[in-house]
Amino acid sequence: MVEPKVTVYGAYWCPDCRRSKKFLGENFIPFRWVDIEQDKKGEAHVLQRNDGKRIIPTIVFEDDTFLVEPSNAELAKKLGLKTEASKTYYDLIIIGGGPSGLTASIYASREGADVLLIERSGLGGQAGITVGLDNFPGFPEGISGQEFSDRVAQQARRFGVEILQAVDVERLEMEEGYHEVYTSDGKHYHSRVVLIATGATYRRLGVPGEDDYIGAGIHFCATCDGPFYKGASEIVVVGGGNSAVEEGLHLTNFAEKVTLLVRGDRLTASQIAIDKVNEPNSRIEVKYNTIVDAIEGANSKLKTIKYHFKDSDKMEELHPAAFIFIGQIPNTTVLKDYAELDTYGFVLTGHDLTHDEHLGEHSPLPFETSIPGIFAAGDARHGSTKQVASAVGEGAAASISIREFLRRSH
Ligand SMILES: Cc1cc2nc3c(=O)[nH]c(=O)nc-3n(C[C@H](O)[C@H](O)[C@H](O)COP(=O)(O)OP(=O)(O)OC[C@H]3O[C@@H](n4cnc5c(N)ncnc54)[C@H](O)[C@@H]3O)c2cc1C
């Protein structure tokens, strides 16, 4: 376990505290959380730092400096994250610093292309928050997602990729064959080619109360928030697929028991994961055919998860924290109403577009979208297999198509 170098003093009811914790979590910055409602010494510390004022979050860093109610941009600056590019024009701009984006950046930069990679949170994407990668070739003992991501990012930097973090790409435009990439901090950059490697995001239940308790009892990332529940008697996991089962198994490291609420009548995870759940000492109980109805709490803290059984009026409730793993939504808003997407929002590329009547003369290369010069790879792409190894493979393959595109357009 990495020793936290940052301490966040706050309270469970404070939205800015939740935002700061989320930002630190997403950027893989280990931090210690002190709830000043529960911790009198913590409260005294906040009062002492703020001339007797009880302002939260107060965030104290390794060098004993501190920030009070910082914006995400201020936090990024303090943490030394690079948020501004050195130039305005690049051969290739990659949006997304997960396995596919980072791999494409290594290939393209190593061949001499000028590459800017823009990531809105922590490098590594979903792989970065994966507890352990057991199925990535070359690591016979497995590797933690965090270490894997650090290594790939290090390799990208070695080949000269310029990487921005905590910067969100909001919009794309095309002007005279060049693409313009607009970011959340009001800047924009130009390139010949853009690679969409934006992956996917956790799906929410959409039940009353869910949004109110995110970070205060409702979680989507066991790696980030699981340790907060060390010693808990029970944790709920909602979902029955791979993520739910794997993360449920991981959460047994912290809680005595994990209860899985599964909408269907079976688990849809890999057989290895299902076998682990079914081991006599797994400490996981599965409740099938259950539908979560509401999440309730008091004083901004989760108290109750209410659910019922399908085909019956039987209602039940549980009172621990809940981790929700019910699928993903592609992060493709930048392409909405621009490039062709499938009905779920995943990006169509290459052969998927062969019969598209809107394309005109444009005959897309493999991994190229319906917009010439915009490519897509990894989990955001229609037909991708949602694994680290395949995301890495798609990043490499897309970069070869990008090389061909650049060669043709010179
Ligand atoms: C809990 C969990 C466990 C998993 N376990 C395994 C496993 O054991 N083995 C395995 O092979 N796979 C596993 N996977 C799947 C694997 O992590 C993904 O398939 C892989 O990370 C996809 O890579 P990607 O680069 O396509 O997308 P992501 O990893 O999703 O990366 C996309 C990146 O783009 C960024 N981004 C999105 N939109 C924007 C924007 N507008 N501006 C800037 N940045 C943006 C995101 O912040 C993100 O960092 C797991 C996934 C999860 C969630």
Side-chain angles (χ1 to χ4, degrees), residues 2-213:
V2 187
E3 193 53 40
K5 293 177 176 161
V6 176
T7 303
V8 182
Y9 294 89
Y12 59 81
W13 47 262
C14 151
D16 274 340
C17 303
R18 284 202 286 276
R19 177 183 49 75
S20 299
K21 282 165 64 182
K22 183 168 179 283
F23 180 86
L24 293 169
E26 283 176 351
N27 284 286
F28 309 132
I29 310 286
F31 65 91
R32 193 164 71 91
W33 165 243
V34 178
D35 185 337
I36 64 166
E37 298 285 358
Q38 317 285 334
D39 186 323
K40 287 293 149 207
K41 272 195 191 156
E43 184 182 26
H45 192 83
V46 168
L47 293 172
Q48 180 249 317
R49 293 254 177 195
N50 295 299
D51 300 328
K53 295 192 205 88
R54 203 170 178 272
I55 316 175
I56 50 174
T58 294
I59 304 180
V60 182
F61 298 88
E62 197 182 16
D63 58 4
D64 203 41
T65 57
F66 65 104
L67 291 175
V68 181
E69 290 182 309
S71 65
N72 283 354
E74 286 167 326
L75 262 177
K77 193 169 170 219
K78 176 69 195 167
L79 294 165
L81 302 176
K82 183 174 163 66
T83 56
E84 199 170 330
S86 59
K87 299 185 297 185
T88 54
Y89 172 78
Y90 293 82
D91 296 325
L92 168 63
I93 295 180
I94 297 176
I95 310 174
S100 58
L102 284 169
T103 304
S105 79
I106 290 170
Y107 271 68
S109 201
R110 190 165 172 267
E111 293 194 349
D114 224 355
V115 183
L116 176 69
L117 183 146
I118 307 177
E119 168 55 55
R120 69 178 171 197
S121 51
L123 294 171
Q126 297 168 72
I129 57 157
T130 302
V131 182
L133 283 176
D134 232 6
N135 55 359
F136 194 86
F139 298 95
E141 305 303 323
I143 182 167
S144 83
Q146 175 77 80
E147 187 185 346
F148 174 79
S149 307
D150 288 349
R151 282 172 176 243
V152 186
Q154 216 178 322
Q155 198 172 354
R157 287 195 170 102
R158 175 160 78 88
F159 290 118
V161 179
E162 202 173 327
I163 299 179
L164 306 187
Q165 272 179 271
V167 176
D168 206 332
V169 172
E170 291 188 329
R171 194 160 54 89
L172 296 176
E173 270 177 28
M174 193 151 122
E175 191 119 343
E176 293 173 11
Y178 289 88
H179 298 286
E180 300 202 45
V181 175
Y182 289 83
T183 55
S184 48
D185 50 2
K187 304 200 168 55
H188 72 280
Y189 305 101
H190 316 269
S191 64
R192 294 299 292 276
V193 181
V194 170
L195 175 67
I196 305 293
T198 46
T201 301
Y202 296 109
R203 194 179 287 281
R204 293 186 188 174
L205 291 168
V207 298
E210 183 184 27
D211 288 352
D212 300 338
Y213 300 101

Side-chain angles (χ1 to χ4, degrees), residues 87-337:
K87 299 185 297 185
T88 54
Y89 172 78
Y90 293 82
D91 296 325
L92 168 63
I93 295 180
I94 297 176
I95 310 174
S100 58
L102 284 169
T103 304
S105 79
I106 290 170
Y107 271 68
S109 201
R110 190 165 172 267
E111 293 194 349
D114 224 355
V115 183
L116 176 69
L117 183 146
I118 307 177
E119 168 55 55
R120 69 178 171 197
S121 51
L123 294 171
Q126 297 168 72
I129 57 157
T130 302
V131 182
L133 283 176
D134 232 6
N135 55 359
F136 194 86
F139 298 95
E141 305 303 323
I143 182 167
S144 83
Q146 175 77 80
E147 187 185 346
F148 174 79
S149 307
D150 288 349
R151 282 172 176 243
V152 186
Q154 216 178 322
Q155 198 172 354
R157 287 195 170 102
R158 175 160 78 88
F159 290 118
V161 179
E162 202 173 327
I163 299 179
L164 306 187
Q165 272 179 271
V167 176
D168 206 332
V169 172
E170 291 188 329
R171 194 160 54 89
L172 296 176
E173 270 177 28
M174 193 151 122
E175 191 119 343
E176 293 173 11
Y178 289 88
H179 298 286
E180 300 202 45
V181 175
Y182 289 83
T183 55
S184 48
D185 50 2
K187 304 200 168 55
H188 72 280
Y189 305 101
H190 316 269
S191 64
R192 294 299 292 276
V193 181
V194 170
L195 175 67
I196 305 293
T198 46
T201 301
Y202 296 109
R203 194 179 287 281
R204 293 186 188 174
L205 291 168
V207 298
E210 183 184 27
D211 288 352
D212 300 338
Y213 300 101
I214 290 174
I218 294 293
H219 305 275
F220 299 91
C221 168
T223 313
C224 314
D225 298 340
F228 291 138
Y229 298 98
K230 201 167 175 59
S233 56
E234 188 177 6
I235 289 178
V236 165
V237 166
V238 183
N242 246 327
S243 296
V245 173
E246 280 179 16
E247 298 297 73
L249 286 163
H250 175 58
L251 288 166
T252 58
N253 291 321
F254 307 111
E256 282 166 32
K257 178 185 171 190
V258 170
T259 301
L260 236 62
L261 298 180
V262 182
R263 201 180 175 93
D265 57 8
R266 65 195 175 90
L267 298 175
T268 52
S270 69
Q271 195 53 49
I272 295 174
I274 294 175
D275 289 346
K276 282 188 188 160
V277 170
N278 291 334
E279 278 172 11
N281 55 353
S282 79
R283 290 191 283 124
I284 293 196
E285 181 187 354
V286 187
K287 289 178 185 271
Y288 293 104
N289 298 310
T290 48
I291 295 174
V292 176
D293 298 306
I295 284 156
E296 292 177 357
N299 298 327
S300 300
K301 200 158 193 192
L302 171 76
K303 294 271 187 251
T304 308
I305 299 144
K306 292 191 166 172
Y307 60 94
H308 72 274
F309 287 83
K310 257 194 228 168
D311 307 324
S312 98
D313 291 334
K314 192 177 165 200
M315 302 281 296
E316 284 187 359
E317 52 183 59
L318 287 164
H319 302 281
F323 285 73
I324 296 163
F325 301 112
I326 51 164
Q328 294 175 312
I329 307 166
N331 300 320
T332 52
T333 353
V334 285
L335 290 184
K336 199 166 171 277
D337 305 323

